[in-house]
């Protein structure tokens, strides 16, 4: 396994840009239910050998997987021969950062841990797009070694849906014939993309999105300051990973600009539209282009939700509820915004993929939004 220095020298596929790696986070916020479910299984003595940890991206799934790994590898196995009786069953997954196992895991040098993720392509100088079968086959060598430490071994696969077909089949074989004292932790943002046979051989832990208080704590642990965790939580859909990206790219400021543009509907302000398109489509501003698309899609999705339910969602910024209600007063308007959202974002991303001018794509998107609003009985 690579040392910490080697890992830091290359991008890590399971690390969100601008945030610490999940192995560096010792606390988990907002997921007590999932942690308790794992501990109940552990304390029962009938723990499953494979766990599928699912939920939206960036909410703490990998953090939970690494907490479980530290706990399993640092906690002595009960051999039933304790001199003064068995210790009380643990009610937390906490392991001190000063524990030798925690140090080794942080350095990626723990012999009882195997990490499977998208590898670095040294020839193309970039991360591979899929987890290859060669990566999964490393488990064979890993389990072939004598178990050290407390006798347990843990595998983390992140993200499981990144496996190609051959890799998935190789993992399935391991799940069908698990080695003794082995625990496999599969982190998945989209479990529907996994083979049904893989899902059926795992016990699932489903994690939900974070509320404002847990979001603030998670961002604090990551060393990121958020001026308004409530607004950020709503815009990031409860994902701390998404929130970090939004903070780095001033997402709340950009969303305010998009709100101001939509506020001019049904007669869209062409100057505002041009300014937004030029900013998001500037040369070398790929991240800004993607964020602009995402936030415009977020606005249209919130309009669709408002029209469908008759009530706007919680405001991200002041005045948004009135804007959403005005532009989506009924189900007809909600359907129109939903259809437009599905069409525009896919069209813009296809255009970018074939190297069309990003600013022109965004400007066309703005004009089509204006045309849709002009046809609605607002």
């Amino acid at each position: 396994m690579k040392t910490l220095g080697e890992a830091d020298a290359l991008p890590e596929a399971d690390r969100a840009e601008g945030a610490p790696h999940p192995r560096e986070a010792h606390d988990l916020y907002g997921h007590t239910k999932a942690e308790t479910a794992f501990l109940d299984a552990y304390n029962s003595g009938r723990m499953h050998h494979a766990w599928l940890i699912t939920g939206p991206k960036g909410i703490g799934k990998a953090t939970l997987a690494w907490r479980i790994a530290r706990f399993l590898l640092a906690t002595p196995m009960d051999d039933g021969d304790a001199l003064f009786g068995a210790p009380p069953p643990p009610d937390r997954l906490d392991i001190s950062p000063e524990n030798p196992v925690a140090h080794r895991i942080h350095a990626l040098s723990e012999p009882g841990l195997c990490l499977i993720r998208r590898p670095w392509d040294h020839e193309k100088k970039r991360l591979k797009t899929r987890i290859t079968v060669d990566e999964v086959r490393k488990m064979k060598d890993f389990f072939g070694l004598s178990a050290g430490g407390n006798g347990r071994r843990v595998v983390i696969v992140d993200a499981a849906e990144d496996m190609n077909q051959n890799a998935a089949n190789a993992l399935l074989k391991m799940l069908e014939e698990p080695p003794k004292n082995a625990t496999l932790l599969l982190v998945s943002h989209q479990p529907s993309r996994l083979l049904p046979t893989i899902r059926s051989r795992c016990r699932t832990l489903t994690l939900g999105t974070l509320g404002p208080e847990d979001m603030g704590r998670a961002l604090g642990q990551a060393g990121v300051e958020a001026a308004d965790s409530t607004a950020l939580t709503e815009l990031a859909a409860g994902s701390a990973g998404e929130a970090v990206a939004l903070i780095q790219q001033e997402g709340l400021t950009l969303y305010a600009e998009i709100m101001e543009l939509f506020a001019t509907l049904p007669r869209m302000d062409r100057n505002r539209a041009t300014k937004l398109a030029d900013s998001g489509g500037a040369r070398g501003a790929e991240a800004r282009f993607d964020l602009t698309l995402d936030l415009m899609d977020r606005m249209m999705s919130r309009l669709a939700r408002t029209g469908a339910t008759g009530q706007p969602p919680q405001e991200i910024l002041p005045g948004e509820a009135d804007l959403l209600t005005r532009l989506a007063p009924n189900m007809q308007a909600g359907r129109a915004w939903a259809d437009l959202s599905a069409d525009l974002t896919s069209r813009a991303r296809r255009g970018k993929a074939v190297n069309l001018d990003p600013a022109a794509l965004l400007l066309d998107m703005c004009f089509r939004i204006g045309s849709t609003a002009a046809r609605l009985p607002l």
Side-chain angles (χ1 to χ4, degrees):
M1 183 172 291
K2 292 182 176 65
T3 65
L4 180 59
E6 291 173 315
D8 281 347
L10 296 174
E12 297 183 88
D14 53 343
R15 179 178 192 164
E17 186 175 353
H21 190 278
R23 68 177 176 272
E24 300 174 39
H26 282 263
D27 294 318
L28 181 68
Y29 301 106
H31 305 302
T32 302
K33 184 177 179 180
E35 185 168 311
T36 300
F38 178 86
L39 280 168
D40 286 347
Y42 174 87
N43 290 327
S44 73
R46 296 186 299 273
M47 194 178 73
H48 205 283
H49 68 279
W51 296 78
L52 180 61
I53 306 174
T54 71
K57 195 170 185 177
I59 60 171
K61 300 186 302 299
T63 298
L64 176 58
W66 287 90
R67 276 175 64 80
I68 291 174
R70 278 192 296 269
F71 172 81
L72 290 176
L73 294 172
T75 303
M77 293 183 67
D78 182 9
D79 58 10
D81 194 30
L83 182 60
F84 299 105
D91 59 2
R92 296 275 294 172
L93 292 175
D94 294 339
I95 296 296
S96 169
E98 301 307 315
N99 186 290
V101 171
H103 276 294
R104 291 195 297 270
I105 286 179
H106 182 269
L108 293 181
S109 60
E110 166 56 45
L113 176 70
C114 178
L115 174 59
I116 304 296
R117 56 185 175 178
R118 288 187 291 122
W120 179 256
D121 189 324
H122 290 277
E123 182 178 339
K124 296 182 179 179
K125 307 299 182 184
R126 66 185 184 191
L127 288 166
K128 292 187 176 181
T129 58
R130 306 300 300 273
I131 294 175
T132 62
V133 68
D134 288 339
E135 294 302 305
V136 176
R137 284 173 177 162
K138 290 178 181 178
M139 287 193 294
K140 184 176 181 181
D141 293 335
F142 170 68
F143 286 121
L145 299 174
S146 299
N150 63 8
R152 294 194 183 99
R153 281 174 287 193
V154 177
V155 175
I156 296 177
V157 183
D158 188 4
E161 61 267 21
D162 288 343
M163 292 184 294
N164 63 25
Q165 186 67 42
N166 290 336
N169 288 332
L171 178 70
L172 177 60
K173 185 175 181 181
M174 188 67 66
L175 291 173
E176 291 172 339
E177 302 174 7
K180 183 180 179 182
N181 297 328
T183 302
L184 282 74
L185 305 171
L186 280 59
V187 177
S188 177
H189 319 304
Q190 297 175 294
S192 61
R193 291 174 52 191
L194 296 174
L195 293 174
T197 44
I198 287 181
R199 296 199 302 268
S200 68
R201 284 165 172 78
C202 299
R203 178 170 172 181
T204 300
L205 290 176
T206 302
L207 276 58
T209 55
L210 301 179
E213 185 175 349
D214 288 322
M215 174 70 78
R217 292 174 177 173
L219 292 177
Q221 178 172 240
V224 178
E225 293 186 8
D228 188 343
S229 62
T230 300
L232 194 60
T233 298
E234 186 67 19
L235 185 58
S239 165
E242 179 70 12
V244 170
L246 288 170
I247 291 171
Q248 291 177 333
Q249 300 181 57
E250 299 183 340
L252 281 172
T253 300
L254 177 55
Y255 192 72
E257 294 174 5
I258 291 172
M259 269 185 57
E260 291 170 0
L261 177 65
F262 273 73
T264 67
L265 297 174
R267 295 184 178 180
M268 177 171 283
D269 186 324
R270 296 178 67 93
N271 288 332
R272 286 186 183 276
T274 301
K275 181 180 177 181
L276 183 69
D278 288 344
S279 172
R283 184 183 298 274
E286 289 82 5
R288 182 75 172 183
F289 176 85
D290 290 337
L291 182 61
T292 303
L293 281 186
D294 288 343
L295 294 186
M296 291 183 75
D297 183 59
R298 192 79 49 88
M299 170 63 79
M300 288 185 284
S301 297
R302 290 167 71 81
L303 284 166
R305 178 178 168 186
T306 301
T309 64
Q311 288 189 327
Q314 180 178 334
E315 281 192 330
I316 293 174
L317 296 173
E320 186 192 22
D322 290 340
L323 175 62
L324 295 175
T325 302
R326 179 174 70 83
L327 295 180
N330 51 47
M331 291 188 65
Q332 178 186 355
R335 284 195 297 270
W337 288 118
D339 292 342
L340 183 66
S341 172
D343 179 48
L344 286 189
T345 51
S346 61
R347 180 192 295 263
R349 295 192 190 282
R350 287 197 303 269
K352 180 188 175 186
V354 295
N355 296 320
L356 295 183
D357 179 28
L361 290 170
L362 289 175
L363 191 59
D364 177 69
M365 189 175 187
C366 291
F367 290 158
R368 293 195 62 198
I369 289 170
S371 297
T372 297
R375 292 195 300 269
L376 295 175
L378 304 178

